[in-house]
Amino acid sequence: MAEAERIIGTPDITGAEGSGETGPDGAAASPDAVTPDGQDTGATAADADAGADAEAAVDRSPAARRRRIILLFCVAVVAYLLDLGSKMLVVAKLEHQEPIELLGDWLKLDAIRNAGAAFGIGEAFTIIFTIIAATVIVVIARLARKLYSLPWAVALGLLLGGALGNLTDRIFRAPGVFEGAVVDFIAPAHFAVFNLADSAIVCGGILIVLLSFKGLDPDGTVHKD
């Protein structure tokens, strides 16, 4: 009997040789087998591949970064010039005049000088708000070095343009350097008077919050929690 088995040989089990693992009944394990803790190893690998593809899809070339930086500064320049031009017009035509009604009592143009932060907050801390605005500008400039996300470029551009607009007032307007009062003129009913720089800052801040909730970083990385 032993001699017969030696001559015939042991039958090959293809599945066992291919996978190296067998199930409880001796069958070869499937490539999409479920791990003992209930996780699908095939699905996990697919998710990892998808994440790698998404990471690879982010264009991190120097040219891509330059385009995002150019977009950031274009948005900032547009926001800054709109704010500066509107303030110059308001000071020349509207200051010391009766408010102009745009929508009756709901929306008016009423020129005021604000020594505080956005929307007239904290008038006793003009120098502090000036330092904060300058710090925001520096932080945005540092973030621009690793900027590859288009939405972040728009958001940071709005923040930069708004901060520069109000900082210009604080430096060059009375009563003095770094103590100047900001020109506000948009006066909705039952709300604080503000300007276009304040609007740009708020819009940029809201966009940054939304991008953060979506898990999108300035460098284009997407976090999925």
Side-chain angles (χ1 to χ4, degrees), residues 5-169:
E5 289 179 353
R6 185 182 65 79
I7 296 173
I8 297 174
T10 303
D12 293 335
I13 302 176
T14 306
E17 292 179 352
S19 63
E21 296 180 6
T22 58
D25 57 354
S30 170
D32 294 329
V34 178
T35 59
D37 58 356
Q39 296 180 347
D40 188 343
T41 57
T44 303
D47 293 341
D49 292 341
D53 292 341
E55 183 72 16
V58 178
D59 187 357
R60 301 185 185 278
S61 65
R65 189 183 63 169
R66 284 195 296 269
R67 289 195 296 268
R68 299 299 181 259
I69 293 175
I70 290 172
L71 176 61
L72 185 157
F73 283 107
C74 285
V75 172
V77 168
V78 171
Y80 176 76
L81 291 179
L82 287 175
D83 177 70
L84 182 62
S86 64
K87 288 174 178 175
M88 293 175 63
L89 184 61
V90 165
V91 170
K93 302 295 184 181
L94 188 58
E95 199 167 35
H96 309 302
Q97 304 293 327
E98 290 295 321
I100 298 176
E101 295 184 353
L102 297 180
L103 296 174
D105 292 334
W106 291 99
L107 181 62
K108 299 179 181 180
L109 297 180
D110 185 13
I112 67 168
R113 296 294 181 108
N114 172 25
F119 308 112
I121 301 172
E123 295 187 3
F125 303 98
T126 305
I127 295 180
I128 295 177
F129 291 127
T130 303
I131 295 174
I132 292 174
T135 302
V136 168
I137 293 172
V138 172
V139 170
I140 292 173
R142 290 178 62 88
L143 284 175
R145 296 184 303 174
K146 58 177 183 178
L147 182 64
Y148 294 96
S149 168
L150 188 148
W152 269 95
V154 174
L156 293 177
L158 290 171
L159 281 181
L160 180 60
L164 285 172
N166 284 338
L167 185 61
T168 300
D169 281 2

